[in-house]
């Protein structure tokens, strides 16, 4: 009997605001809890607003039952207990699943996905934290990307897990864009997206700088939901 509970913050329907599937209607499943404390986080309410639910409770939600595209977000989804992988497995049988993760413990998390989910239809939007000073974070991140890259390059379908992912880098200034471009050059097999830190740097400034520097390895995205609705709107 599956009796472990997940800390669910909210479920809502909206438009995917970023990542590989930007612009598509999706059902968001937001979990509570995070193992990082980014100063630009716009969903800090997740830590105080949650209920404990089973995977069955989530799967029986009407929005979930009527959807074919799911975005798993937080907080950080991977700080949940092992039931998160059972949920991902079940959702991937219904439709496409995109996981938004902060990249901390990336290697161990994608390894668990590979071992436990064993399904296709899973993609990852991975934040790369430029201002992270923890050496362990960077080592784990690189090992995680190598794990993913090896399977993309080999087109490995073992256990049905073929990860599709992009790296999202939130930038605050031109130096951050330079760093992001260098990162993209080192990981040319992955889509690297730069996203403006809302209210700090404008999308126009990023676009002009990328064109001037001829940074063709990068793709710029704005957080679409912040321009469609108010920047701090919940359930959007």
């Amino acid at each position: 009997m599956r009796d472990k509970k997940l800390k669910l913050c909210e479920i809502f329907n909206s438009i995917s605001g970023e990542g590989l599937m930007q612009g598509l209607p999706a059902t968001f499943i937001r979990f509570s809890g995070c193992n990082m404390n980014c100063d630009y986080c716009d969903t800090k309410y997740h830590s105080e607003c949650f209920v404990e639910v089973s995977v069955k409770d989530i799967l029986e939600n009407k929005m979930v039952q009527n959807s074919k595209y799911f975005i798993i977000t937080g907080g950080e989804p991977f700080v949940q207990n092992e039931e998160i992988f059972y949920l991902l497995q079940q959702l991937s049988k219904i439709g496409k699943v995109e996981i938004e993760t902060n990249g901390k413990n990336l290697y161990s998390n994608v390894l668990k996905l590979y071992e436990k989910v064993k399904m296709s239809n899973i993609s990852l939007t991975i934040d790369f934290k430029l201002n992270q000073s923890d050496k362990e974070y960077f080592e784990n991140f690189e090992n995680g990307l190598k794990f993913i890259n090896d399977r993309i390059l080999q087109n490995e379908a073992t256990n049905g897990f073929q990860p599709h992912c992009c790296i999202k880098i939130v930038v605050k200034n031109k130096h951050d864009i330079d760093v992001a471009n260098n990162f993209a050059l080192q990981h040319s097999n992955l889509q690297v997206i730069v996203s403006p830190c809302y209210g700090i740097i404008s999308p126009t400034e990023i676009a002009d700088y990328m064109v001037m520097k001829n940074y063709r390895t990068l793709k710029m995205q704005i957080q679409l939901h912040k321009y469609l609705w108010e920047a701090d709107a919940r359930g959007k």
Side-chain angles (χ1 to χ4, degrees):
M1 182 176 179
R2 317 196 72 94
D3 55 359
K4 290 185 178 180
K5 303 291 187 179
L6 298 170
K7 293 182 178 180
L8 175 69
C9 176
E10 57 185 346
I11 299 177
F12 60 94
N13 288 327
S14 187
I15 296 292
S16 177
E18 53 198 341
L20 293 172
M21 310 298 279
Q22 185 186 56
L24 288 179
T27 297
F28 286 73
I29 304 176
R30 185 185 305 283
F31 290 99
S32 175
C34 191
N35 49 9
M36 301 190 76
N37 186 29
C38 301
D39 58 3
Y40 54 81
C41 178
D42 56 2
T43 57
K44 290 186 180 294
Y45 63 86
H46 71 81
S47 62
E48 300 175 351
C49 178
F50 68 89
V51 292
E52 294 190 341
V53 299
S54 67
V55 169
K56 182 173 180 288
D57 292 330
I58 295 174
L59 294 176
E60 290 180 348
N61 180 278
K62 292 298 183 184
M63 284 182 284
V64 172
Q65 290 184 346
N66 293 326
S67 184
K68 292 296 182 183
Y69 175 41
F70 307 96
I71 297 180
I72 312 301
T73 188
E76 169 53 50
F78 287 123
V79 301
Q80 300 296 310
N81 61 52
E82 297 294 303
E83 283 293 275
I84 192 70
F85 296 102
Y86 177 63
L87 174 64
L88 293 171
Q89 183 184 69
Q90 297 307 303
L91 290 174
S92 67
K93 295 176 182 178
I94 302 171
K96 294 182 179 180
V97 181
E98 181 175 353
I99 308 166
E100 295 184 343
T101 176
N102 61 23
K104 192 173 180 67
N105 303 321
L106 181 63
Y107 175 70
S108 56
N109 289 331
V110 295
L111 183 61
K112 287 180 181 178
L113 273 176
Y114 181 76
E115 293 174 342
K116 295 178 180 294
V117 176
K118 300 179 182 179
M119 294 294 294
S120 58
N121 288 340
I122 301 287
S123 64
L124 294 165
T125 295
I126 307 166
D127 267 337
F128 179 60
K129 309 296 186 180
L130 292 183
N131 298 319
Q132 173 61 239
S133 59
D134 187 348
K135 181 181 178 181
E136 183 179 353
Y137 171 87
F138 290 114
E139 290 179 350
N140 201 291
F141 198 96
E142 287 296 326
N143 288 335
L145 290 187
K146 184 178 186 305
F147 185 92
I148 293 169
N149 252 324
D150 287 348
R151 278 140 191 83
I152 292 176
L153 290 172
Q154 297 170 18
N155 195 28
E156 182 173 310
T158 305
N159 291 333
F161 180 66
Q162 293 178 282
H164 305 279
C165 73
C166 67
I167 311 300
K168 185 188 77 173
I169 302 178
V170 176
V171 297
K172 297 180 177 180
N173 50 52
K174 293 176 180 178
H175 173 72
D176 286 351
I177 303 171
D178 292 334
V179 175
N181 184 67
N182 289 334
F183 180 90
L185 290 172
Q186 295 170 22
H187 300 283
S188 57
N189 295 302
L190 299 173
Q191 176 67 72
V192 178
I193 294 169
V194 289
S195 178
C197 188
Y198 189 82
I200 301 297
I201 186 172
S202 73
T204 303
E205 186 175 355
I206 296 174
D208 286 342
Y209 188 72
M210 286 174 56
V211 171
M212 181 189 73
K213 299 284 285 190
N214 197 29
Y215 281 166
R216 297 179 181 270
T217 56
L218 296 176
K219 178 179 181 179
M220 189 192 78
Q221 280 188 351
I222 61 172
Q223 291 177 293
L224 190 60
H225 49 288
K226 290 187 176 180
Y227 294 85
L228 293 175
W229 301 284
E230 293 183 9
D232 58 353
R234 287 179 56 172
K236 296 294 186 181

